[in-house]
Amino acid sequence: MGETKLIKGTYGYIDKWKKSKQAVIALWVIFIGALFLIPAAIMGTRYNAFTVAAIVMVLPAARQAVQYFAMMGFHSGRQDEYEKIAVLTGGKTWMVLAADMVLASESGHMVLNMLVICNGNIYGYAPKQKKSREAIEAYLANLLMEADISHKRPVVHESFEEFEEMVMMLAANEPSTPAEAGTIFAGLKANCM
């Protein structure tokens, strides 16, 4: 049986999140429609308390729709690329691999198909972005500064080959004093959609 729980930072999160959000929106539409149409058919008039309740229920449904529309243009990365990086980072306790990270900021959303946290730094792969690589790196640097790791400079790659080479190098060299990657990952997840 497949995993149904959505966990930020896991491969396929964006696509699964969008499917679940579509289902929730469909349920809201059915519920609001039933709340409006069934009492109107039984009572013979739309002027009743159920109509008011249906109108009020539009607000939480609209919130769900806005969240879906904000993520509509984003998709999960390629599975073959993810599997290559997962093999490189597998069994390495000093490295954390995350995928499908949609970071939200005041200036817009950024998608990191994958990122590796190693030795207190963030190495990301973000192809085809509206945001420049420098803007994404600046955002990640700000997150590191908030975690009191301001001496590190995140690196974001637009080419998978470059990202794969970087991860190979990181995986081959175990740091003498590994920094806590879990704290950085938790901070990133807190800023994700």
Side-chain angles (χ1 to χ4, degrees), residues 86-150:
V87 166
L88 293 172
T89 60
K92 311 283 192 286
T93 58
W94 67 92
M95 299 175 83
V96 172
L97 171 63
D100 291 353
M101 302 291 285
V102 180
L103 301 172
S105 72
E106 292 105 21
S107 61
H109 295 57
M110 314 162 227
V111 177
L112 288 160
N113 285 12
M114 283 179 276
L115 61 87
V116 172
I117 303 170
C118 178
N119 199 23
N121 207 358
I122 301 170
Y123 304 91
Y125 170 53
K128 302 176 191 168
Q129 293 288 311
K130 290 181 183 178
K131 299 275 184 197
S132 70
R133 189 187 75 169
E134 292 80 17
I136 297 171
E137 287 175 350
Y139 180 80
L140 293 172
N142 188 31
L143 287 176
L144 288 173
M145 221 179 321
E146 290 173 5
D148 287 334
I149 310 175
S150 58

Side-chain angles (χ1 to χ4, degrees), residues 149-163:
I149 310 175
S150 58
H151 61 282
K152 300 289 185 175
R153 186 175 179 276
V155 179
V156 176
H157 299 278
E158 295 171 344
S159 161
F160 178 73
E161 290 75 24
E162 291 175 8
F163 178 67

Side-chain angles (χ1 to χ4, degrees), residues 31-41 45-46 48 50-52 54-55:
F31 176 71
I32 292 170
L35 193 61
F36 181 74
L37 296 175
I38 293 172
T45 179
R46 290 183 308 203
N48 57 54
F50 293 103
T51 301
V52 173
I55 291 169

Side-chain angles (χ1 to χ4, degrees), residues 41-90:
I42 293 171
M43 295 178 190
T45 179
R46 290 183 308 203
Y47 303 109
N48 57 54
F50 293 103
T51 301
V52 173
I55 291 169
V56 171
M57 290 294 138
V58 168
L59 294 173
R63 180 175 180 259
Q64 299 292 321
V66 167
Q67 289 175 348
Y68 175 75
F69 290 131
M71 292 277 284
M72 199 164 62
F74 304 124
H75 303 284
S76 295
R78 292 180 32 194
Q79 187 169 1
D80 62 324
E81 292 177 343
Y82 175 78
E83 289 171 354
K84 286 180 183 179
I85 301 301
V87 166
L88 293 172
T89 60

